[in-house]
Amino acid sequence: MPDSGAPPRPTGGEQTGGQNSQVVVVAVPPSPDASPDQLLSGFLDGLVADEADYHTAKEYLDPGTAWSPQDQVAIVDSVSQPTLVAGSVAGGRVTLQVEGRELGTLDAKNAYAPGNGQPISRKFEFVRGKDKRWRIDSLQPGVIINQSDFQRIYESVDLYYPAARQGVDAVTYPLVPEPVYLRGRIDPLTSAANALLTGPSDWLQHVVQQDFPAGSSIDGPQSLASGDQGNVDIHLQGPAADVIRTNHPDCVLMASQFFATLSQVPTQQLDQAPQPVKSVTLYDGKDGSARCQGSSRNSSAFPPAGDTSYYLDAGGHLKSLDMGSGNAARAVAGAQLPTAAGVVSGFAVSPGVSGDVALLTQDGRRLYLGNLNSATEPTRQAVPGNVQLGSPSWDSTGTLWMVDKGSGAGSVKALVGQMLLPVAVEGLHGQVTGVRVATDGARIALTVSSDGRSSVQIGRVHYTGTPQQPQLTIEALQSIAPSLSTINAVSWVDGDSVIVLGRSELSAEGLTVQQIDGSSALIPGPQPPSATDGIQSISALQQDPTAPLLAYANTPADGGKIMRWQPSSNTWVLLPQTGAGTTPMPSYPG
């Protein structure tokens, strides 16, 4: 038991907890003379103890009883007291049941799915043996735990997989984060590495590559440990060891995946101080040789971010804001249209180092492409006459995503090279009014309007076809922020969450941070800033979550203004040198 910190609490439905709670639950072996209901309570306590393989909980099972706890985690509001549903003590066999309202689940790959709030139950059959002891003889796969225990035990971790880019020429494959939940205080580095080897979830696997061959593993029962210099050594076994021994590019990609994953893992355990992971070295087998290393220098999970944002001034000219040098506003030479081209009302700057800029005229019928590093005027792209473009957004692979509002269609278009392509959206109910693509280009956030309400839908991007004739499809839409009925702006905050500006039917305009897997209702994230009067847009820098949020507000009192969030003073700070444009809508690259 801990000798400092918060006192231990019972594990029942009244417990309160959090991801950083230091409450410790110690599993107690079964007592020989315990009754079935006492044994079930002890077994359920064993499920939330800090044990990697549930070895104490398994002592409650009759020898030979099959149980696969890794199949599913059912998260409920509270676990009820056991009730008898079949059998009798006198007959030597009883069935007990516990219930709870389902809030969410984790599948066998630790991916979260929201629950529907309906009651669920789990049955446990007990048998009395010849030694007069009661044991669990049959139970359903998986585990059931309450919300507070889930918050205390599990940590959100991003696993990284290279994007699949079939049908599109790509020099590099950006790494795509997948949020999963792992038991945070039981060897978190090894848990995360094993989860990465297991492969992506059913939702993501269609748009990423799985480079770890089936049957691969990490050598030995010993845990991974970050050394004094922040290096983690991983000894691969099985087919993966053969790959890294003979294919250096694949080895480097695997090492990059391990580094991107492990460097994000919270390593705070009960008896350890956090040690940041700075590099990962892969070995081919238990006593093999070091084959390659992954670090921030060769990881495509964290492309260069910079600290420059952009906005349109009152004349519709693109200007830059250097957030690191006093927010000085400067004109962007390669993104100024000739006077005859019209007024710019929408823009997007490509993330990374390419410097590409997209500019849309006010009518949405003219698209220009320029470059931040060029002194020449942007060039006009061919746009069909019935197309009306808006909401431009770049990914790091050079694809420009937009909404097509022509003929009231509310569809999605993508510019791949010089080709303006229609994008199919499977399962769409309504019209797309806004697009924000993740930097990796494998996931996209859509604002969808239907029946007088708007919502945020997260989809995966599937590339098919050939480089000469690519086909793009947005699949498997998942709704987040269901309590909001009006969505005004969306921006990616980091690899697995977005910030949403919107309101519900009963609340005023506000900002919320939403996990793309829908887990925000179960485990709330960081509290976002309060929305200021007249706020109309919000922008975050996905590659650097520490960068200040930018917002544009327009009120009758002082007109349009650009602001940045100042966490130290918990206030929005006006950027006066930007001037008062009509639609400046400040934005980071993306």
Side-chain angles (χ1 to χ4, degrees):
M1 299 295 288
D3 57 9
S4 63
R9 295 183 180 181
T11 61
E14 296 302 317
Q15 178 186 350
T16 60
Q19 286 179 285
N20 297 319
S21 173
Q22 294 296 298
V23 173
V24 179
V25 175
V26 178
V28 179
S31 173
D33 57 351
S35 63
D37 58 334
Q38 292 171 332
L39 291 171
L40 182 52
S41 294
F43 173 79
L44 294 175
D45 282 346
L47 301 184
V48 299
D50 292 316
E51 295 180 345
D53 60 354
Y54 301 101
H55 62 267
T56 301
K58 291 176 180 177
E59 295 181 22
Y60 288 77
L61 307 183
D62 200 38
T65 298
W67 177 47
S68 49
Q70 72 280 358
D71 281 5
Q72 186 193 67
V73 177
I75 307 140
V76 297
D77 56 346
S78 63
V79 179
S80 69
Q81 293 297 317
T83 57
L84 178 67
V85 294
S88 66
V89 172
R93 180 175 288 275
V94 298
T95 300
L96 300 181
Q97 176 177 284
V98 295
E99 298 178 339
R101 188 168 56 86
E102 187 181 65
L103 304 179
T105 59
L106 299 184
D107 64 14
K109 292 186 175 181
N110 306 293
Y112 178 85
N116 57 15
Q118 297 300 309
I120 62 170
S121 62
R122 293 291 185 269
K123 292 183 173 63
F124 302 84
E125 294 185 21
F126 288 80
V127 63
R128 186 168 54 202
K130 293 180 181 180
D131 57 0
K132 305 302 182 182
R133 294 184 62 172
W134 288 92
R135 296 180 178 88
I136 299 174
D137 180 57
S138 176
L139 71 168
Q140 294 160 268
V143 302
I144 182 171
I145 63 175
N146 65 40
Q147 179 180 3
S148 59
D149 282 327
F150 181 79
Q151 293 173 340
R152 176 179 59 83
I153 294 172
Y154 284 85
E155 294 277 4
S156 179
V157 172
D158 285 342
L159 311 178
Y160 284 83
Y161 299 95
R165 301 286 291 175
Q166 178 185 352
V168 178
D169 285 325
V171 177
T172 60
Y173 296 94
L175 293 183
V176 182
E178 164 145 73
V180 299
Y181 280 92
L182 303 175
R183 293 170 75 96
R185 299 192 297 196
I186 305 175
D187 198 358
L189 291 179
T190 303
S191 296
N194 284 325
L196 182 66
L197 285 179
T198 302
S201 68
D202 294 342
W203 188 85
L204 192 67
Q205 66 179 355
H206 301 277
V207 297
V208 296
Q209 306 171 50
Q210 169 56 306
D211 289 333
F212 298 103
S216 302
S217 62
I218 296 172
D219 173 70
Q222 74 275 11
S223 64
L224 302 175
S226 179
D228 293 338
Q229 303 303 316
N231 182 68
V232 174
D233 295 334
I234 298 179
H235 295 259
L236 290 173
Q237 293 279 73
D242 297 330
V243 171
I244 67 172
R245 189 181 300 118
T246 59
N247 191 320
H248 184 71
D250 281 356
C251 181
V252 172
L253 181 57
M254 290 180 183
S256 180
Q257 289 180 249
F258 274 115
F259 169 74
T261 296
L262 300 185
S263 64
Q264 304 297 300
V265 173
T267 56
Q268 177 74 56
Q269 299 186 66
L270 292 177
D271 57 351
Q272 297 180 9
Q275 171 66 53
V277 173
K278 298 179 181 178
S279 63
V280 172
T281 303
L282 298 188
Y283 293 77
D284 57 344
K286 180 179 180 180
D287 300 314
S289 303
R291 293 294 176 177
C292 61
Q293 189 175 76
S295 67
S296 58
R297 293 189 300 273
N298 61 1
S299 176
S300 57
F302 314 110
D307 55 4
T308 302
S309 61
Y310 302 87
Y311 74 101
L312 295 173
D313 67 12
H317 303 111
L318 189 67
K319 290 190 175 181
S320 65
L321 287 171
D322 189 344
M323 307 303 290
S325 61
N327 308 75
R330 296 183 177 89
V332 179
Q336 305 303 323
L337 297 186
T339 304
V343 177
V344 176
S345 63
F347 73 93
V349 176
S350 177
V353 297
S354 72
D356 291 332
V357 182
L359 303 166
L360 287 173
T361 56
Q362 201 164 35
D363 58 7
R365 302 190 184 279
R366 283 171 287 180
L367 168 65
Y368 292 83
L369 296 183
N371 193 279
L372 300 175
N373 306 313
S374 173
T376 60
E377 290 182 346
T379 58
R380 184 174 177 179
Q381 302 297 301
V383 176
N386 61 341
V387 170
Q388 186 178 5
L389 300 173
S391 188
S393 179
W394 290 96
D395 63 36
S396 64
T397 69
T399 299
L400 176 65
W401 299 80
M402 294 165 287
V403 171
D404 177 13
K405 302 177 182 179
S407 305
S411 58
V412 179
K413 292 286 195 298
L415 185 70
V416 182
Q418 299 297 313
M419 297 175 288
L420 185 63
L421 304 173
V423 179
V425 184
E426 295 185 352
L428 176 66
H429 299 287
Q431 296 184 342
V432 179
T433 59
V435 171
R436 281 295 174 265
V437 67
T439 302
D440 50 65
R443 298 149 317 136
I444 195 166
L446 305 178
T447 303
V448 178
S449 177
S450 178
D451 298 327
R453 295 173 58 92
S454 52
S455 62
V456 181
Q457 306 278 331
I458 304 295
R460 64 186 185 222
V461 180
H462 194 187
Y463 294 81
T464 56
T466 65
Q468 294 73 34
Q469 292 183 312
Q471 297 178 356
L472 286 71
T473 305
I474 299 173
E475 305 173 334
L477 294 178
Q478 300 181 148
S479 180
I480 61 174
S483 63
L484 301 180
S485 58
T486 300
I487 308 296
N488 291 324
V490 178
S491 181
W492 288 84
V493 175
D494 52 30
D496 58 19
S497 61
V498 296
I499 188 167
V500 180
L501 171 64
R503 66 176 184 271
S504 69
E505 295 176 350
L506 301 176
S507 66
E509 201 88 62
L511 295 169
T512 62
V513 176
Q514 298 288 327
Q515 298 293 316
I516 64 171
D517 61 2
S519 62
S520 299
L522 186 65
I523 298 184
Q527 185 67 26
S530 57
T532 187
D533 290 343
I535 188 169
Q536 296 181 2
S537 74
I538 190 74
S539 182
L541 183 58
Q542 180 184 338
Q543 303 99 301
D544 182 8
T546 65
L549 289 173
L550 291 175
Y552 171 72
N554 196 327
T555 60
D558 52 10
K561 55 186 179 182
I562 297 177
M563 301 168 294
R564 61 175 288 180
W565 178 251
Q566 192 72 39
S568 59
S569 59
N570 203 36
T571 57
W572 289 100
V573 177
L574 179 66
L575 303 180
Q577 63 270 38
T578 59
T582 54
T583 56
M585 302 302 180
S587 176
Y588 286 107

